[in-house]
Amino acid sequence: MSTLLKMENIQYEVDRKTILAIPSFSIQQGEIIGIMGPNGAGKSTLLKLLSLLDSPSEGQIFLKETVLSGQKITIDMRRKFAIALQQSLLLHTSVYQNVALGLKIRKLPKASINEKVGYWLDKFNISHLAKKHAYHLSGGEAQRVNLARAMVLEPEVLFLDEPFSALDFPTKVELLKELKEILNITNTTTVFVSHDLLEIKYLTDRLAILMNGEIQQVGKTEDVIEHPNKMTAAFINQWKEFIQ
Ligand code: ADP
Ligand code: MG
């Protein structure tokens, strides 16, 4: 595996308070990496930095060999990434239009937009909702639209910030299964933020545990869960009681 995204000597400060301090962190091509940690650990901030939605106070981010921070970040760079958040934040228009919008902005030909949107609506089992207004969707349906809207962009990296945490358990399980299959087929490099070890265990290849703005452990997901270190044991064992 080769390194796709890399952070070095990252500091992120707000009002002189350090929110993140990450000497080194990298994401491999094609992997699904989980970022897990308690509320307020800095997971969403880390995701924003990696996806170029925000810039670090110090340090550098690389996509392969190209430095992404410390210079003007171009639209072309941002377009390599797609992001889906817990709140799907859909526009007040049809499901079809919500999924098509990103491609329209990229000025793709209409026939190509039609084909791609049709493909991803089908993949997420929402073709029948194409004409429905996004306002009238259930939570699970809205999250399917949210994921289709991200995947239709064919991103080099997909960023997911707790996309399932507002869903009921059966909906979450169904969507997790479908997403896993889609990510495996497309081989999409994915950064998956969650505070739920069940989701992490099911979906991810590697896992980074973030606590108080620092990565305390990173490794193969099963190894981190089986062998937490001194810093992560209390957090991980709390979860393990429930899933074993
Ligand atoms: P998580 O996603 O792990 O719950 P966040 O990345 O949202 O954590 O936040 C990490 C910490 O940084 C929290 O204490 C949060 O209050 C703080 N924080 C994040 N962004 C800002 C900001 N723009 N201004 C002030 N505080 C912030
Ligand atoms: Mg968060």
Side-chain angles (χ1 to χ4, degrees):
M1 271 203 206
S2 58
T3 300
L4 183 61
L5 258 182
K6 184 172 68 177
M7 298 184 123
E8 274 179 3
N9 304 315
I10 294 291
Q11 292 274 343
Y12 183 84
E13 291 163 17
V14 178
D15 299 334
R16 293 196 191 159
K17 184 173 165 249
T18 302
I19 306 279
L20 276 181
I22 300 183
S24 168
F25 181 51
S26 53
I27 290 158
Q28 307 301 310
Q29 181 103 43
E31 75 173 345
I32 304 177
I33 184 162
I35 296 172
M36 190 184 171
N39 272 336
K43 304 183 292 299
S44 294
T45 307
L46 175 56
L47 199 88
K48 278 186 214 154
L49 296 184
L50 284 168
S51 60
L52 309 180
L53 288 177
D54 202 349
S55 303
S57 314
E58 279 175 44
Q60 289 186 312
I61 298 170
F62 302 84
L63 180 70
K64 293 181 185 148
E65 301 305 318
T66 312
V67 183
L68 299 180
S69 52
Q71 67 184 68
K72 207 164 181 292
I73 290 164
T74 63
I75 287 177
D76 279 349
M77 286 178 178
R78 281 222 178 87
R79 284 185 176 173
K80 294 178 188 298
F81 304 144
I83 302 158
L85 309 175
Q86 178 185 337
Q87 300 298 336
S88 46
L89 303 174
L90 300 176
L91 299 174
H92 278 245
T93 175
S94 69
V95 165
Y96 182 95
Q97 292 301 338
N98 266 281
V99 179
L101 184 69
L103 300 178
K104 283 189 176 168
I105 291 172
R106 291 169 198 213
K107 298 196 182 351
L108 261 73
K110 206 170 171 188
S112 168
I113 293 177
N114 255 322
E115 185 194 330
K116 286 176 195 283
V117 173
Y119 177 83
W120 285 105
L121 291 179
D122 179 55
K123 276 274 170 234
F124 283 102
N125 293 317
I126 47 175
S127 300
H128 61 293
L129 301 174
K131 289 182 182 154
K132 196 163 178 176
H133 197 283
Y135 189 70
H136 300 300
L137 301 175
S138 70
E141 289 168 346
Q143 199 49 259
R144 285 168 189 276
V145 177
N146 197 21
L147 292 170
R149 185 172 57 173
M151 288 303 290
V152 80
L153 303 173
E154 297 165 6
E156 269 191 58
V157 188
L158 174 67
F159 295 93
L160 302 172
D161 194 351
E162 312 222 19
F164 305 130
S165 52
L167 303 180
D168 60 77
F169 190 73
T171 308
K172 178 193 291 206
V173 168
E174 197 178 86
L175 207 41
L176 262 173
K177 276 191 199 161
E178 291 176 23
L179 180 67
K180 184 172 182 166
E181 200 180 307
I182 287 168
L183 295 180
N184 281 337
I185 291 169
T186 54
N187 203 24
T188 306
T189 306
T190 304
V191 183
F192 180 73
V193 167
S194 175
H195 63 265
D196 184 334
L197 194 61
L198 264 177
E199 294 179 10
I200 291 280
K201 194 177 176 186
Y202 182 73
L203 195 65
T204 66
D205 307 312
R206 283 202 309 142
L207 173 58
I209 304 290
L210 189 68
M211 303 178 87
N212 295 320
E214 294 180 23
I215 293 178
Q216 299 292 359
Q217 190 172 8
V218 59
K220 281 176 87 173
T221 300
E222 59 198 55
D223 291 344
V224 174
I225 294 172
E226 283 310 310
H227 308 290
N229 64 26
K230 241 195 248 171
M231 300 302 292
T232 62
F235 177 67
I236 290 174
N237 288 334
Q238 206 179 25
W239 271 103
K240 276 165 74 175
E241 280 178 34
F242 286 97
I243 64 172
Q244 280 176 347

